[in-house]
Amino acid sequence: VNIQYKKGVIELCLLATLSKKDMYGYELSEYISKMVDISDGTVYPILRKLKADGLVTTYLSEDSGGPPRKYYSITKTGLKEFESDSKDWLDFVATVSKIIKGEK
Amino acid sequence: MTKKEYLDELKKELKLNNVDDIDDILEEYKEHFDFKLEEGYTEEEIAKKLSSPKEIAKEYVPSSAPVNKYERATKITGLTFLSIPAGMIYLLLWASVAVLGAFSLACVVTGFCLLTTINIAGLIPSIPYFPALILSIACFGLATLSAVGTFYSFEYIKQWGKVYVRWCKNVANNNHYPSLSKHPKISKKLASKLKFVAMVGLVCFVAAFIIGYFSMCIAAKSFEPWHVWKWFE
């Protein structure tokens, strides 16, 4: 599938993932690139854009014992955005699959 | 490409594209390399799997619409006028940090004078040595407490200056840059250490102050020992 096409969806995937739990950058990157075929490091600019838009925030945590890691966590605005965007997406996918299958 | 080559190249490309917070972005890719290295990949393999630095840098260029020149000039004029009172208030904030710092220093000097009975310029009124010793502990406690306060207010006011500058830039450029956190970056370790130090300072101050006062009362046989010792005459 076209790369530009995937990018828009990755935003939604990232919000979906973060709505379940906080994760650090590399963890998110690995998780998403395992599911969707994108080159490594594609999610970092998208995460930054989500942060600039106020949908996610970051904090440093040393819980894992190692050096402090930058964790991403979803904001209230992010959750709202995710809820409405995922609904739109599911409706859209349902419509597209109907059209593909030639249903009326 | 090795890790260093890749990161250098990425830094160069980000600069060419006028991207903000380059260090923060580089840190993210540096971490990516470190994690992958830990998993056993070579630097070349990792770099190959990443998109080229040029492509990545492009992804960081915000897509906000270019700003209308006339509108921008108006906004900058407005911001300039706003910055005059804002700057004054900011200066006042810095002045209060300086006052707090000076207060902390004064406490140290007073504590030192009381402890060693060195009476600089006759500043210390007559007082028996035992209460003086206790009160010097109170002074050091207060000094510690206000030193921690000075550090925090310094960090916060520095951060607020940055936040204000970033906000101005964003107003002039249609939210081109990510907004900054209102809280300064203080590591959890340092914060918990400072909290502990401040608590010790507070306890020393309160306890030594109370004990000091009553030992003065006992020594002077009065609840107002300063009258007995003629401090204000």
Side-chain angles (χ1 to χ4, degrees), chain A residues 52-88:
Chain A
D53 293 344
L55 302 182
V56 304
T57 55
T58 56
Y59 61 92
L60 285 178
S61 171
E62 298 167 72
D63 289 345
S64 40
R69 280 178 188 160
K70 192 164 81 176
Y71 275 81
Y72 288 86
S73 112
I74 197 164
T75 61
K76 267 188 194 161
T77 335
L79 269 177
K80 267 186 206 155
E81 182 94 358
F82 166 61
E83 273 158 26
S84 78
D85 283 3
S86 58
K87 196 182 161 295
D88 288 352

Side-chain angles (χ1 to χ4, degrees), chain B residues 44-222:
Chain B
E44 272 79 12
E45 283 170 336
I46 301 165
K48 214 172 175 184
K49 280 198 88 183
L50 286 166
S51 319
S52 76
K54 200 170 193 162
E55 279 172 57
I56 287 183
K58 265 188 207 152
E59 296 297 326
Y60 279 103
V61 179
S63 51
S64 59
V67 192
N68 173 329
K69 264 189 185 169
Y70 175 74
E71 198 188 308
R72 190 161 185 268
T74 317
K75 280 178 174 172
I76 289 179
T77 315
L79 286 172
T80 311
F81 279 107
L82 177 67
S83 291
I84 297 169
M88 287 179 181
I89 293 169
Y90 193 58
L91 214 63
L92 273 178
L93 286 175
W94 275 119
S96 49
V97 176
V99 168
L100 195 58
F103 176 73
S104 175
L105 205 65
C107 288
V108 172
V109 173
T110 314
F112 184 75
C113 288
L114 285 169
L115 184 69
T116 54
T117 65
I118 298 173
N119 201 345
I120 301 173
L123 284 172
I124 310 294
S126 67
I127 179 169
Y129 189 63
F130 179 71
L133 190 67
I134 301 292
L135 285 180
S136 82
I137 294 171
C139 283
F140 289 130
L142 197 56
T144 315
L145 201 60
S146 45
V148 173
T150 310
F151 173 76
Y152 266 99
S153 37
F154 180 86
E155 290 293 326
Y156 264 94
I157 288 164
K158 202 171 78 182
Q159 183 72 12
W160 289 347
K162 285 186 193 164
V163 169
Y164 178 75
V165 170
R166 175 59 63 89
W167 176 78
C168 286
K169 273 166 103 182
N170 271 336
V171 169
N173 297 302
N174 280 355
N175 298 321
H176 182 80
Y177 306 104
S179 56
L180 289 171
S181 158
K182 288 174 196 71
H183 306 286
K185 272 186 193 163
I186 296 172
S187 75
K188 264 188 187 170
K189 259 186 199 165
L190 182 63
S192 64
K193 265 183 204 160
L194 285 173
K195 196 177 161 190
F196 175 74
V197 169
M199 283 308 291
V200 171
L202 181 67
V203 169
C204 281
F205 169 64
V206 174
F209 186 80
I210 294 169
I211 299 171
Y213 171 70
F214 284 110
S215 62
M216 273 162 68
C217 294
I218 293 166
K221 295 188 182 70
S222 157

Side-chain angles (χ1 to χ4, degrees), chain A residues 4 7 24-27 29-30 38-42 44-49 51-52 59-63 68-70 72, chain B residues 19-22 24-25 28-29 31-32 35-36 38-39 41 46 49-51 56 59-60 63 177-179 185 187-189:
Chain A
Q4 263 332 40
K7 249 175 227 161
Y24 51 92
Y26 179 73
E27 203 180 3
S29 164
E30 282 300 282
I38 45 167
S39 57
D40 282 4
T42 312
Y44 301 128
I46 303 172
L47 278 172
R48 192 171 185 78
K49 186 186 165 287
K51 191 183 173 186
Y59 61 92
L60 285 178
S61 171
E62 298 167 72
D63 289 345
R69 280 178 188 160
K70 192 164 81 176
Y72 288 86
Chain B
V19 176
D20 234 41
D21 287 335
I22 291 182
D24 209 37
I25 296 169
E28 196 98 65
Y29 285 89
E31 251 186 56
H32 183 89
F35 275 113
K36 284 277 177 196
E38 229 172 84
E39 285 172 20
Y41 293 91
I46 301 165
K49 280 198 88 183
L50 286 166
S51 319
I56 287 183
E59 296 297 326
Y60 279 103
S63 51
Y177 306 104
S179 56
K185 272 186 193 163
S187 75
K188 264 188 187 170
K189 259 186 199 165

